[in-house]
Amino acid sequence: MTSTKAELRRSLLAARRARSPEARRADAAALAAGLPALLEGVADPVCLFVAVGGEPGATPDGALPVLDAARAMGRRVLLPVTVGAAPLDWAPYDGPESLGAGPHGLREPMGPRLGPAVLADAGLVVVPALAVDHRGVRLGRGGGHYDRSLPLAGAQTRLVALVGDDGLLADDLPAEPHDVGVHAVWRPSSGVTWLSA
């Protein structure tokens, strides 16, 4: 199981790295344009993340079109703060100037931390993922930060994995007992696909 996951991670990461800067900009613009549909009927706060590297939503120049679109809609946006092996902490996104350097090459909010339990009140949590299967099983980067955090989400919280256009898999991903399934995948070209799992 571990080797299968590792091989799939390598393959998907290589495909992300191969995408041109123009394609990455187009993906980010498409995600920002699709944000109103994703947030329709969703209460604040909404928990997003700063996409980096080849992740969908990341831009070559470091612009944050998805996050800035959410703020322009008047939404209360929270971003994750990595705290060692503990569940993620969360802090408000108040614009690009509110971000600083975090671990693993991430950009994180520098404002007041609200604690991991804030997920219980979130209307939406967008989770980074390399792939998701039709059951909602997610393949992440392997750090476990979201695996430790998602069990804290409320019953009303929509869990949505942000993946590339190739990230919704027909085949089952290996699942482990600690995995928390997502309700939907969000892709640049296809928008949101709700899963029946």
Side-chain angles (χ1 to χ4, degrees):
M1 179 186 302
T2 304
S3 64
T4 303
K5 287 173 101 170
E7 291 164 10
L8 186 54
R9 277 191 185 104
R10 276 194 298 276
S11 171
L12 291 166
L13 285 168
R16 283 186 174 182
R17 283 191 295 273
R19 290 185 62 74
S20 70
E22 295 77 18
R24 290 169 51 206
R25 273 192 286 275
D27 287 351
L31 291 167
L35 191 63
L38 176 66
L39 295 181
E40 186 175 345
V42 172
D44 284 345
V46 295
C47 297
L48 303 176
F49 67 93
V50 180
V52 296
E55 289 179 323
T59 61
D61 61 0
L64 304 166
V66 173
L67 300 182
D68 292 336
R71 283 191 74 224
M73 294 171 62
R75 304 310 297 256
R76 181 174 178 233
V77 177
L78 303 181
L79 299 178
V81 178
T82 305
V83 186
L88 294 166
D89 204 334
W90 298 86
Y93 174 63
D94 294 320
E97 67 284 349
S98 70
L99 300 178
H104 315 296
L106 300 175
R107 293 164 69 192
E108 296 182 341
M110 298 290 107
R113 295 184 183 182
L114 305 175
V118 75
L119 281 189
D121 297 323
L124 172 80
V125 179
V126 175
V127 182
L130 293 169
V132 174
D133 71 14
H134 64 99
R135 302 169 300 159
V137 175
R138 179 182 63 87
L139 177 68
R141 299 286 293 261
H145 298 290
Y146 280 90
D147 291 330
R148 291 185 288 275
S149 301
L150 293 181
L152 302 174
Q156 81 293 342
T157 306
R158 296 179 185 176
L159 304 178
V160 177
L162 177 54
V163 298
D165 287 321
D166 59 352
L168 179 57
L169 306 181
D171 295 331
D172 289 356
L173 284 166
E176 298 181 38
H178 64 263
D179 288 339
V180 175
V182 296
H183 304 120
V185 295
W186 184 25
R187 295 174 286 172
S189 296
S190 307
V192 179
T193 302
W194 294 97
L195 304 173
S196 57

